[in-house]
Amino acid sequence: MTWASIDLNADLGEGFGRWTLTDDEELLSVVTSANVACGFHAGDAVTMRRVCELAAARGVRIGAQVSYRDLAGFGRRSMDVPADELAAEVAYQIGALGVFARAAGSAVSYVKPHGALYNRVVRDEEQAAAVVDGVLLAGGGLPVLGLPGSRLHEAAEKAGLPVVAEAFGDRAYKADGSLLPRGQEGAVVTDPAEVVERSVSMARFGVVTAHCGRSVAVRPRSLCLHGDTPGAVGLARRVRAQLEASGVSVEAFV
């Protein structure tokens, strides 16, 4: 199944205090959904408020990007967190972002795990269930954004939550449809032309070429554009322009 329209999401608010990583304002002029860091891998109260205000002003949907409590490791270190603790921390992050989203005249529209948690819940049933429990605890029946076929999506569907399939134009895939770990060579696609081509292929045809050379079905409803990639804003604009030139409408999934 392919889509007549596609959502573009980006990880935003990934700063802390005086340190900033993403060009939030410029990326919000391109994307349709903003995955806002909720303070556990990046982000703080001031940053969350600012990004929510910018997103609301531009009509961009606000998503809670939840993670392990790992500021030092940017949420990319795997952690063994007890299920009840993880559920509470997921709900805590959604609730914190919700305050600033509502103050900006908007709301948290979906949830997406970040980094190590994102990859862990592809296969870890217990951690996936804990994330879903956290979403339920926060209330609202929020959609869950993640890899298709993941344990996270299975748990979300079982709990009655909407699921949204996501793909990455700038990440290498394995033959089973999972992402090649960042520590491996070639895990991040750096050639802008290749990122654009892969994004259009996934949006129009639902396929991407894996690291091994095989074609893999991905069928995304949303494409992620990493905000911490060098030249991220220019790349995001190229991806959106080529999608639209190919007849794919760019609009939020919620």
Side-chain angles (χ1 to χ4, degrees), residues 115-127:
L117 181 58
Y118 186 98
N119 291 313
R120 180 77 171 265
V121 296
V122 170
R123 293 191 173 87
D124 191 316
E125 186 175 349
E126 182 182 75
Q127 294 279 280

Side-chain angles (χ1 to χ4, degrees), residues 38-80:
C38 298
F40 273 35
H41 75 279
D44 54 35
V46 173
T47 302
M48 284 190 281
R49 180 180 182 182
R50 176 179 55 81
V51 175
C52 286
E53 289 173 347
L54 289 170
R58 289 161 173 75
V60 175
R61 300 298 187 268
I62 296 170
Q65 188 165 42
V66 298
S67 74
Y68 289 126
R69 188 188 292 271
D70 182 27
L71 273 177
F74 196 59
R76 287 180 174 162
R77 298 184 293 191
S78 186
M79 296 183 169
D80 293 319

Side-chain angles (χ1 to χ4, degrees), residues 13-28:
E14 292 186 327
F16 195 83
R18 296 178 62 185
W19 174 75
T20 58
L21 177 63
T22 50
D23 190 341
D24 299 327
E25 189 162 4
E26 290 299 320
L27 282 167
L28 283 167

Side-chain angles (χ1 to χ4, degrees), residues 36 38 48 52 62-65 93-102 108:
V36 184
C38 298
M48 284 190 281
C52 286
I62 296 170
Q65 188 165 42
Q93 292 174 79
I94 297 169
L97 185 65
V99 169
F100 300 113
R102 289 191 296 273
V108 174

